[in-house]
Amino acid sequence: MSVSAGAKILVVEDEPVINQAVTDRLRGQGYEVVQAWDGPGAVQQFTATAPDLVLLDVMLPGFDGHEVCRRIQAARPVPVLMLTARDDEADILVGLGVGADDYLTKPFRMRELVARVGALLRRVDRAAELAARPTTADLGDLRVDAAARRVWVAATEVHLTPTEFDLLLCLAASPGVVLTRENLYAEVWGWPGASGTRTVDSHVKALRSKIGADRVRTVHGVGYALEPGA
């Protein structure tokens, strides 16, 4: 059984076979699952059932998964795992920009999907732990307020998605120290031992676009560090 057994998951997928296969697997793991097959139906089900996590296909009838994600995140922040048929960086960054936490490229293995779902549910608890860390202020003109979950660059407030904020908070806890992708996945997503995923890289790219590319240093083959004096 999953460590988060009993959590409610909304599965949004217009292909009936995939939708049912995912639903059956998640129910077998002990989750409560509700289903939707199009954009409007997804928003309606989200409002009616208040799920703990949303598994969301990008290509949907009515309006696409990006619009669904934008609408539900505006109503109530919730972990979102997006499913995409294209491993295209631009599409992935759009999804992350509207509030998705992670993504899987089709075709995917059910075992990996279940692992990602479990990691995202654990991340909710990890976010609370990260927020309990002291406010980081000694980062040049970058200010991070952990308790208020607010960020400023040169006195201008910057809007970050929940995952971008948690990633920045993790890096800011050890300015100048290189954290491996595995470290970041364990700290931010609560998935120790994760490897072979570009999720961290995609979120770092999105974070750089908002706080400045030179603030996050890449150490090729290792990981990332937040530059305190950038």
Side-chain angles (χ1 to χ4, degrees), residues 50-108:
D52 300 298
L53 180 145
V54 179
L55 191 63
L56 180 61
D57 188 27
V58 173
M59 301 302 295
L60 293 169
F63 45 79
D64 66 14
H66 294 146
E67 181 61 23
V68 172
C69 191
R70 185 179 294 109
R71 294 189 187 193
I72 65 177
Q73 295 290 19
R76 176 176 64 86
V78 65
V80 173
L81 174 59
M82 291 198 111
L83 306 178
T84 175
R86 298 196 305 170
D87 189 16
D88 182 87
E89 187 175 50
D91 283 351
I92 291 167
L93 289 174
V94 169
L96 300 182
V98 294
D101 297 271
D102 201 355
Y103 60 87
L104 271 177
T105 304
K106 296 179 181 180
F108 51 82

Side-chain angles (χ1 to χ4, degrees), residues 200-211:
V200 172
D201 299 334
S202 297
H203 278 285
V204 167
K205 184 167 185 176
L207 180 62
R208 280 174 168 153
S209 72
K210 295 181 179 181
I211 68 170

Side-chain angles (χ1 to χ4, degrees), residues 88-187:
D88 182 87
E89 187 175 50
D91 283 351
I92 291 167
L93 289 174
V94 169
L96 300 182
V98 294
D101 297 271
D102 201 355
Y103 60 87
L104 271 177
T105 304
K106 296 179 181 180
F108 51 82
R109 295 176 297 173
M110 286 291 182
R111 183 176 180 179
E112 182 175 8
L113 181 142
V114 170
R116 298 284 186 98
V117 165
L120 285 178
L121 289 170
R122 289 191 297 272
R123 177 187 164 275
V124 174
D125 295 329
R126 291 293 298 128
E129 293 175 17
L130 288 170
R133 295 177 176 178
T135 298
T136 301
D138 189 19
L139 295 168
D141 63 353
L142 174 65
R143 180 181 169 218
V144 182
D145 187 328
R149 296 186 67 84
R150 299 174 71 183
V151 178
W152 295 265
V153 175
T156 300
E157 187 166 3
V158 178
H159 173 72
L160 301 181
T161 67
T163 303
E164 289 165 359
F165 183 86
D166 291 341
L167 177 60
L168 176 59
L169 198 60
C170 187
L171 291 166
S174 303
V177 175
V178 179
L179 300 180
T180 67
R181 291 171 177 81
E182 291 75 17
N183 291 152
L184 292 169
Y185 224 121
E187 283 287 305

